[in-house]
């Protein structure tokens, strides 16, 4: 047996591989980030040596495997940051299944193959040489501790001055937290330490929040403190035609109808509803440039209906956008969506209301229904049938039909049409596409792209364009079947995007233009005649109320949005929220508040307003009151979110 005293060197190499990876992946944007990674590597070095010194069992294998895990985590963190402009937090670690799937899709096959090859060769070499790591020199070991302590003091002192950690817990505050100025693993460590400290210091505050939550859950209207009353944000609760406000502080968005109608008498004559939600499709890419569009089929469908030009998504997460679209309420939980954090939804959402009124409800998607806990959340909001990846596998329809995260869009559309075309009872169906999903660099098999889209390489935006074009192709196949079938005579078809992505063409450079591009999404509606001006500012929150308005279904609603087509349509400006990771934008008509600095540079003073959350362009001086009230509204939403959005 050959015994080589290379303990210090081996541990050093393994400890500083993450430093090199952090440099390669772009985490060293300033001096502090470099020092942060240095502290991480020195700490790993000391930890590895400590393991050799005190445990000394299977040291080579354990140290090597731990290093590989750290390298994979850094790569996933890079993709997570590119997409969400945030780091993986303690909350997002709760998304265990989602994180595993993210590793599968975000870490490229060549990288995984290389890591596997290196691991295989390493363990093969290890088995032949019988290398053992011996205990390191005690003096060196404790000298290293001293060096780490000095650097740790410097880094922590600098961090305390550069960052305000409490802001990470305040969704309704403007956040200028610069994630890229620290190492993502050190960020996670600090959050853990901060959580322990805060948890010890905030028991009283937590008890207060729990008490307030119980007030809402128990419908104890008179006990809710005045700062949560709806008169604190009353200008944002706009009138609902043919409905009257409930006056409930615990459910301030609830409106009552005096004419509830009779659903069962009309269910055989009511229109079907198909809602198509396009993964990661923004409005910008649907517009024509030099006479060419990435979405010719979507543009063709718009000729048969109406396209709304200023329509906005409410979130960066698909599942949160679904909640806004289907329930007309915001998911303000910061990192982990409501569907995962709480599971069941207690409010009255569109599928549940339609089911109560005689509709059969379907949800079609190419990914697993367990992703983001949809197998629990979606039935709670009223979906009776979940047609997901599991369904395709059971029916043996999934073989060789996988692109990216799941079943390719074309096959999902085909199966949806096959199931829906012969339904005799009214139905509501959501078709959620999947193929156009980050990181976008999929193998599309035999699908042929037009020359202006075709691309082979690693440029994210160019691959994103390919994904949009493929989804549009799949949509076109579905549309041709739909428009030539009896379904088209008695169906409302609504097509929108779920959210944007933070990748842009070179022409879009400013923070303002990028934010606008990120949240502006297409909306095309077929099968309705009575609608507002297509240029009006609208959002996901307005879809559910509009569908019920068109179907003339009247019952008590608790919605933030308002109808923009149908009998109850209203032209009143409605509040629009664009929920980012650590901040949000607020819009009311042409008044616009964005979480960027100096939105009002070189503007007249009477049209400008700035505060710690955002800066604003003001259309009407009276809108300032609504901007101020939006903070109170967000404060109530956070509390109602914790309570599960109960409906009484």
């Amino acid at each position: 047996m050959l015994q080589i005293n290379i303990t210090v060197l081996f541990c050093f190499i393994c400890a500083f591989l993450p430093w090199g990876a952090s440099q390669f992946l772009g985490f060293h944007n300033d001096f502090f980030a470099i020092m942060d990674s240095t502290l991480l590597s020195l700490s790993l070095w000391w930890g590895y040596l400590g393991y050799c010194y005190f445990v000394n069992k299977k040291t080579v294998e354990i140290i090597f495997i731990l290093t590989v895990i750290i390298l994979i985590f850094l790569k996933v963190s890079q993709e997570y940051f590119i997409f969400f402009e945030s780091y993986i937090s303690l909350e997002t670690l709760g998304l265990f299944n989602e994180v595993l799937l993210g590793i599968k899709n975000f870490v490229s096959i060549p990288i995984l193959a290389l890591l596997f090859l290196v691991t295989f060769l390493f363990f093969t070499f290890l088995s032949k040489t019988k290398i053992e790591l011996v205990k390191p020199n005690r003096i060196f070991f404790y000298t290293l501790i001293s060096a780490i302590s000095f650097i740790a003091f410097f880094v922590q002192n600098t961090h305390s001055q550069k960052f305000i950690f409490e802001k990470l817990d305040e969704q309704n505050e403007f956040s200028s937290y610069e994630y890229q100025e620290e190492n993502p693993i050190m960020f996670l460590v600090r959050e853990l330490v901060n959580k322990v400290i805060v948890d010890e210091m905030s028991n009283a505050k937590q008890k207060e929040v729990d008490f307030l939550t119980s007030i809402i859950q128990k419908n104890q209207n008179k006990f809710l403190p005045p700062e949560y009353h709806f008169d604190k944000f009353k200008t944002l609760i706009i009138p609902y035609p043919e409905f009257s406000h409930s006056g409930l502080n615990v459910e301030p968005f609830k409106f009552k109808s005096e004419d509830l109608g009779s659903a069962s008498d009309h269910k055989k004559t009511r229109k079907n509803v198909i809602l198509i939600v396009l993964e990661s499709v923004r409005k910008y890419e649907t517009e024509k440039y030099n006479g060419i569009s990435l979405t010719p089929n979507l543009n063709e469908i718009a000729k048969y209906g109406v396209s709304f030009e200023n329509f906005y998504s409410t979130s960066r997460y698909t599942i949160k956008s679904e909640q806004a679209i289907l329930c007309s309420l915001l998911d303000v939980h910061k990192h982990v969506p409501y569907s995962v954090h709480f599971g069941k939804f207690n409010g009255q959402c569109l599928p549940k209301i339609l089911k109560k009124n005689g509709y059969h409800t379907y949800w079609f998607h190419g990914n697993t229904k367990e992703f983001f806990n949809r197998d629990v959340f979606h039935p709670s909001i009223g979906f009776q049938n979940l047609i997901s990846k599991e369904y395709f596998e059971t029916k043996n329809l999934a073989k060789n039909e996988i692109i990216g995260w799941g079943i390719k869009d074309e096959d999902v559309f085909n199966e949806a049409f096959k199931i829906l075309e012969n339904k005799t009872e009214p139905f509501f169906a959501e078709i959620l596409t999947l193929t156009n999903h980050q990181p976008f660099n999929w193998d599309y098999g035999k699908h042929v792209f037009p020359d202006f889209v075709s691309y082979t390489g690693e440029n994210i935006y160019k691959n994103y364009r390919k994904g949009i074009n493929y989804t549009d192709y799949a949509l076109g196949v579905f549309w041709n079947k739909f428009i030539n079938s009896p379904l088209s005579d008695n169906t409302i078809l609504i097509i929108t995007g779920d959210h944007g992505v933070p990748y842009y063409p070179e022409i879009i450079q400013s923070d303002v233009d990028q934010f606008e591009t990120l949240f502006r999404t297409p909306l095309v509606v077929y099968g309705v005649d009575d609608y507002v001006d297509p240029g009006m500012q609208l959002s996901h929150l307005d879809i559910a109320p509009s569908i019920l308005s068109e179907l003339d279904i009247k019952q008590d609603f608790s919605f933030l949005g308002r109808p923009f087509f149908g009998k109850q349509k209203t032209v009143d400006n409605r509040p629009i929220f664009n929920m980012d990771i650590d901040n949000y934008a607020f819009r009311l008509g042409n008044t616009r508040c964005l979480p960027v600095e100096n939105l009002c540079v070189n503007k007249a003073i009477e049209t400008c307003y700035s505060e710690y959350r955002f800066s604003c362009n003001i259309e009407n001086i009276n809108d300032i009151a609504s901007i101020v009230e939006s903070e109170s509204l967000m404060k109530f939403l956070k509390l109602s979110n914790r309570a599960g959005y109960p409906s009484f």
Side-chain angles (χ1 to χ4, degrees):
M1 181 176 67
L2 176 65
Q3 188 179 64
I4 304 175
N5 190 0
I6 58 170
T7 305
V8 173
L9 178 61
F10 177 76
C11 292
F12 175 85
I13 292 173
C14 288
F16 275 83
L17 277 175
W19 193 99
S22 297
Q23 174 70 24
F24 177 75
L25 295 173
F27 291 126
H28 290 169
N29 280 3
D30 71 352
F31 179 72
F32 179 83
I34 295 174
M35 292 301 298
D36 215 25
S37 292
T38 302
L39 177 60
L40 170 65
S41 290
L42 287 173
S43 299
L44 286 173
W45 193 17
W46 173 76
Y48 291 165
L49 290 172
Y51 185 82
C52 295
Y53 190 88
F54 294 107
V55 181
N56 201 27
K57 291 182 180 179
K58 297 233 176 246
T59 50
V60 176
E61 296 91 334
I62 290 175
I63 290 172
F64 184 81
I65 291 173
L66 181 59
T67 302
V68 169
I69 292 173
I70 291 172
L71 294 176
I72 292 175
F73 181 83
L74 286 170
K75 175 57 181 174
V76 174
S77 295
Q78 180 202 36
E79 295 289 347
Y80 189 90
F81 177 77
I82 290 172
F83 192 77
F84 290 115
E85 297 176 338
S86 174
Y87 283 160
I88 296 172
S89 67
L90 289 176
E91 278 191 297
T92 53
L93 284 180
L95 300 170
F96 183 73
N97 291 333
E98 288 74 15
V99 169
L100 287 180
L101 193 56
I103 292 174
K104 171 187 172 185
N105 287 290
F106 289 142
V107 180
S108 65
I109 297 299
I111 292 177
L112 287 175
L114 179 61
L115 286 174
F116 176 81
L117 178 62
V118 170
T119 303
F120 174 77
L121 293 175
F122 178 80
F123 280 102
T124 300
F125 171 76
L126 194 64
S127 65
K128 293 182 180 298
T129 57
K130 302 295 182 183
I131 293 177
E132 290 183 0
L133 298 185
V134 299
K135 290 185 179 182
N137 180 279
R138 181 179 297 184
I139 296 176
F140 178 81
F141 183 68
Y142 289 110
T143 301
L144 183 59
I145 293 178
S146 301
I148 292 173
S149 299
F150 175 78
I151 296 176
F153 175 79
F154 168 78
V155 169
Q156 183 55 36
N157 185 60
T158 306
H159 185 274
S160 299
Q161 297 177 34
K162 285 173 68 68
F163 302 93
I164 302 175
F165 226 103
E166 285 71 20
K167 278 199 170 186
L168 293 175
D169 295 322
E170 297 296 332
Q171 173 72 56
N172 64 326
E173 289 191 7
F174 173 78
S175 171
S176 57
Y177 197 90
E178 299 292 342
Y179 291 92
Q180 68 271 29
E181 293 183 8
E182 59 182 308
N183 185 282
I185 295 178
M186 294 300 290
F187 168 84
L188 198 61
V189 171
R190 289 191 184 95
E191 195 182 31
L192 177 61
V193 172
N194 183 70
K195 181 176 177 60
V196 172
I197 296 173
V198 170
D199 282 353
E200 289 295 322
M201 298 174 61
S202 62
N203 286 335
K205 182 178 179 180
Q206 185 61 47
K207 289 180 179 178
E208 179 186 356
V209 172
D210 291 341
F211 174 71
L212 294 173
T213 301
S214 69
I215 289 176
I216 294 180
Q217 291 172 332
K218 296 176 182 178
N219 193 19
Q220 296 175 327
N221 197 60
K222 63 181 180 180
F223 295 119
L224 193 68
E227 68 239 48
Y228 293 97
H229 287 188
F230 67 80
D231 61 1
K232 299 295 183 183
F233 46 86
K234 60 185 178 182
T235 66
L236 301 178
I237 305 177
I238 65 173
Y240 204 125
E242 302 182 22
F243 288 78
S244 58
H245 190 256
S246 66
L248 293 172
N249 287 315
V250 294
E251 200 175 1
F253 314 119
K254 187 170 187 175
F255 279 77
K256 296 176 175 284
S257 172
E258 296 179 0
D259 177 19
L260 297 180
S262 177
S264 60
D265 293 342
H266 306 290
K267 68 178 183 179
K268 291 188 181 298
T269 59
R270 278 190 172 148
K271 291 183 176 181
N272 306 308
V273 181
I274 298 177
L275 169 67
I276 298 176
V277 182
L278 304 175
E279 171 65 44
S280 301
V281 175
R282 305 183 302 206
K283 178 66 175 175
Y284 179 87
E285 278 73 25
T286 70
E287 296 167 339
K288 287 187 177 182
Y289 295 92
N290 298 322
I292 298 175
S293 172
L294 292 174
T295 58
N297 292 300
L298 179 62
N299 297 343
E300 181 65 21
I301 296 170
K303 297 176 182 178
Y304 289 78
V306 55
S307 175
F308 293 88
E309 300 305 306
N310 294 300
F311 190 79
Y312 290 90
S313 64
T314 52
S315 175
R316 298 273 299 275
Y317 288 82
T318 301
I319 186 64
K320 291 185 176 186
S321 294
E322 282 189 284
Q323 179 175 314
I325 292 169
L326 299 169
C327 306
S328 192
L329 288 169
L330 293 170
D331 182 349
V332 295
H333 205 260
K334 184 179 174 184
H335 288 295
V336 179
Y338 177 99
S339 64
V340 175
H341 198 81
F342 298 104
K344 294 183 178 180
F345 194 89
N346 300 311
Q348 293 294 316
C349 299
L350 176 66
K352 186 185 293 185
I353 293 170
L354 292 178
K355 183 174 69 171
K356 180 180 177 182
N357 284 270
Y359 278 71
H360 295 269
T361 55
Y362 299 84
W363 180 76
F364 298 89
H365 187 47
N367 201 356
T368 171
K369 61 186 177 183
E370 294 180 353
F371 196 61
F372 283 115
N373 208 26
R374 285 184 173 94
D375 55 335
V376 175
F377 180 76
H378 275 39
S380 77
I381 65 174
F383 281 112
Q384 298 162 300
N385 305 280
L386 302 183
I387 313 299
S388 59
K389 187 177 182 180
E390 292 85 350
Y391 167 89
F392 285 87
E393 291 172 341
T394 301
K395 299 290 185 179
N396 294 320
L397 300 172
K399 187 177 181 180
N400 300 321
E401 304 300 339
I402 300 293
I403 296 180
W405 290 67
I407 309 301
K408 65 182 183 181
D409 291 346
E410 184 179 0
D411 291 337
V412 175
F413 275 123
N414 287 340
E415 190 65 18
F417 183 81
K418 179 180 176 181
I419 290 174
L420 300 175
E421 66 173 327
N422 295 317
K423 295 297 178 185
T424 56
E425 295 290 312
F427 65 80
F428 169 76
E430 177 193 350
I431 305 173
L432 175 62
T433 69
L434 176 65
T435 305
N436 183 44
H437 198 292
Q438 190 189 13
F440 308 113
N441 55 345
W442 310 126
D443 178 2
Y444 290 89
K446 297 180 181 179
H447 181 75
V448 179
F449 289 95
D451 291 342
F452 71 94
V453 177
S454 183
Y455 170 75
T456 302
E458 295 301 319
N459 183 284
I460 296 178
Y461 183 69
K462 290 182 179 180
N463 282 322
Y464 171 55
R465 284 166 49 89
K466 286 177 63 179
I468 292 175
N469 187 253
Y470 170 79
T471 293
D472 181 74
Y473 156 77
L475 174 64
V477 173
F478 174 83
W479 168 255
N480 288 332
K481 293 179 180 179
F482 171 83
I483 198 63
N484 292 300
S485 75
L487 275 180
S488 62
D489 297 328
N490 192 41
T491 301
I492 302 168
L493 180 65
I494 299 171
I495 307 171
T496 188
D498 59 350
H499 55 71
V501 295
Y503 312 115
Y504 310 96
E506 294 181 359
I507 194 174
I508 299 177
Q509 293 290 333
S510 73
D511 290 343
V512 173
D513 289 343
Q514 288 186 355
F515 200 93
E516 287 291 324
T517 303
L518 181 62
F519 282 96
R520 190 162 160 254
T521 193
L523 177 69
V524 173
V525 181
Y526 164 88
V528 302
D529 298 315
D530 189 12
Y531 45 82
V532 301
D533 184 337
M536 185 175 181
Q537 301 224 17
L538 305 165
S539 80
H540 281 157
L541 295 169
D542 301 314
I543 289 179
S546 300
I547 291 173
L548 294 173
S549 171
E550 178 67 21
L551 299 176
D552 198 26
I553 293 177
K554 294 181 179 179
Q555 67 176 65
D556 295 351
F557 301 141
S558 188
F559 292 156
L560 267 174
R562 293 294 181 267
F564 59 92
F565 58 79
K567 292 185 177 181
Q568 288 88 44
K569 78 176 191 302
T570 175
V571 297
D572 290 342
N573 290 328
R574 68 277 326 269
I576 295 173
F577 295 89
N578 307 130
M579 307 299 296
D580 210 337
I581 305 302
D582 291 318
N583 48 54
Y584 63 92
F586 171 76
R587 306 168 193 272
L588 189 68
N590 290 324
T591 288
R592 178 180 62 167
C593 298
L594 303 182
V596 300
E597 297 180 3
N598 303 321
L599 184 62
C600 288
V601 172
N602 299 325
K603 303 284 184 175
I605 189 67
E606 62 270 15
T607 65
C608 293
Y609 176 82
S610 295
E611 55 167 77
Y612 68 96
R613 292 178 295 166
F614 30 53
S615 58
C616 310
N617 278 331
I618 305 298
E619 178 185 36
N620 188 313
I621 194 68
N622 295 325
D623 288 344
I624 293 179
S626 297
I627 296 170
V628 174
E629 288 187 7
S630 70
E631 184 175 14
S632 297
L633 173 60
M634 197 61 62
K635 184 178 180 180
F636 176 84
L637 281 171
K638 291 175 71 176
L639 193 62
S640 186
N641 187 289
R642 284 181 55 89
Y645 287 118
S647 181
F648 306 109

